């Protein structure tokens, strides 16, 4: 499809395990964003990519969180040694360029549950 | 620190009623976007306002950007159950690449 695709849509894992979340942005979109959203709440910014570079990692909650983007396209968000407080919906968005007036196109998110 | 405050946080009204959601910034924004999010889905852009005093209409939804570009409102006329969702505002100064997000207004329209 032409939209932002995220996988898996749901992930249940045990505390302490590592998880990898994937985002496939809209083709041609140079900017990519990762957000975290707790149930019914607003969006918490995690990281921004322009191309393959991440000029802003300020939102990553701890050093257990990392992200990369390759080929200016697919991005993965990795959480190591998961904790229960990591349970949330992780949303990915892309935009044509990283500018404040650009609309962001979102995937449907990965719902992560840590047991 | 730039902040974007939304109010109310939660609103539950009957079908056919009117409502207004507010979004207030601590600083001047170059543009402001409104999104709607339904359960299990990502937010979807409704509108972008860029000019102070601008008014945009989307069917029964009316969006306004304040003259000073520090506040915005979303007014829904004759709300329908299909309007139910989480409404998010987001914006920032021109120097930003990262949107500043409000905490959202959860809207429930009862038939």
């Amino acid at each position: 499809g032409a939209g932002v695709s995220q996988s898996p849509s749901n992930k249940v894992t045990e505390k302490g395990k590592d998880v990898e979340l994937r985002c496939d942005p809209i083709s041609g979109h140079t900017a990519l964003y990762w957000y975290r959203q707790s149930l019914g709440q607003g969006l918490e910014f995690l990281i921004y990519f322009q191309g393959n570079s991440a000029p802003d990692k300020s939102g990553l909650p701890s050093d257990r969180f990392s992200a990369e983007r390759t080929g200016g396209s697919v991005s993965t968000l990795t959480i190591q040694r998961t904790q229960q407080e990591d349970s949330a919906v992780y949303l990915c968005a892309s935009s044509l360029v990283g500018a404040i007036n650009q609309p962001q196109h979102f995937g449907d998110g990965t719902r992560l549950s840590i047991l | 620190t730039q902040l974007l405050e939304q109010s109310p946080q939660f609103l539950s009204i009957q079908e056919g009623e009117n409502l207004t959601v507010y979004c207030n910034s601590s600083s001047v924004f170059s543009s402001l976007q409104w999104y709607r999010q339904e359960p299990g889905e990502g937010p979807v852009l409704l509108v972008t306002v860029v000019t102070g005093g601008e008014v945009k209409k989307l069917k029964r939804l009316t969006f306004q950007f304040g003259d000073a570009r520090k506040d915005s409102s979303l007014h829904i006329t004759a709300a329908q159950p299909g309007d139910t969702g989480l409404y998010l505002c987001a914006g920032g100064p021109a120097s930003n690449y990262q949107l500043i997000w409000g905490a959202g207004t959860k809207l429930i329209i009862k038939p």
Side-chain angles (χ1 to χ4, degrees):
Chain A
V4 176
S5 179
Q6 290 189 247
S7 61
S9 55
N10 287 281
K11 178 72 176 179
V12 180
T13 193
E14 294 179 345
K15 176 183 172 181
K17 300 286 189 182
D18 297 352
V19 295
E20 191 172 277
L21 312 180
R22 176 187 169 106
C23 173
D24 205 335
I26 292 174
S27 178
H29 280 196
T30 64
L32 187 147
Y33 303 81
W34 282 99
Y35 296 94
R36 182 167 69 176
Q37 184 178 35
S38 298
L39 187 62
Q41 301 299 308
L43 305 184
E44 176 188 1
F45 168 79
L46 297 178
I47 190 169
Y48 156 68
F49 285 93
Q50 179 58 47
N52 292 334
S53 301
D56 189 349
K57 304 180 182 179
S58 62
L60 293 177
S62 73
D63 59 8
R64 295 186 296 105
F65 287 72
S66 63
E68 65 174 12
R69 188 179 185 195
T70 56
S73 182
V74 172
S75 177
T76 54
L77 177 68
T78 301
I79 309 174
Q80 295 178 310
R81 305 181 301 282
T82 52
Q83 303 295 312
Q84 288 186 331
E85 61 262 28
D86 299 333
S87 295
V89 175
Y90 289 81
L91 290 163
C92 173
S94 70
S95 62
L96 196 59
V97 295
I100 202 69
N101 63 345
Q102 287 292 306
Q104 293 188 12
H105 302 265
F106 285 82
D108 287 338
T110 294
R111 183 177 300 275
L112 178 64
S113 300
I114 309 299
L115 303 178
Chain B
T1 302
Q2 297 162 334
L3 296 173
L4 203 52
E5 295 184 356
Q6 276 189 251
S7 62
Q9 292 183 347
F10 178 79
L11 188 57
S12 179
I13 62 172
Q14 292 294 136
E15 180 177 2
E17 294 184 6
N18 301 332
L19 68 109
T20 302
V21 176
Y22 299 93
C23 180
N24 293 292
S25 166
S26 58
S27 56
V28 175
F29 281 5
S30 67
S31 65
L32 193 134
Q33 301 173 13
W34 285 92
Y35 291 78
R36 180 169 67 206
Q37 183 180 24
E38 299 188 23
E41 300 181 4
V44 175
L45 180 70
L46 296 174
V47 76
T48 301
V49 286
V50 296
T51 305
E54 182 176 5
V55 176
K56 283 191 173 180
K57 292 192 174 184
L58 188 65
K59 298 182 181 177
R60 292 175 293 99
L61 279 61
T62 301
F63 303 85
Q64 186 163 8
F65 203 13
D67 291 341
R69 290 184 287 136
K70 294 180 70 174
D71 59 274
S72 182
S73 63
L74 158 60
H75 182 79
I76 302 179
T77 303
Q80 303 294 311
D83 296 327
T84 292
L86 180 69
Y87 289 80
L88 296 157
C89 63
S95 57
N96 277 26
Y97 50 76
Q98 175 201 139
L99 287 170
I100 299 164
W101 290 84
T105 294
K106 185 171 183 179
L107 177 62
I108 295 176
I109 309 300
K110 296 176 284 188

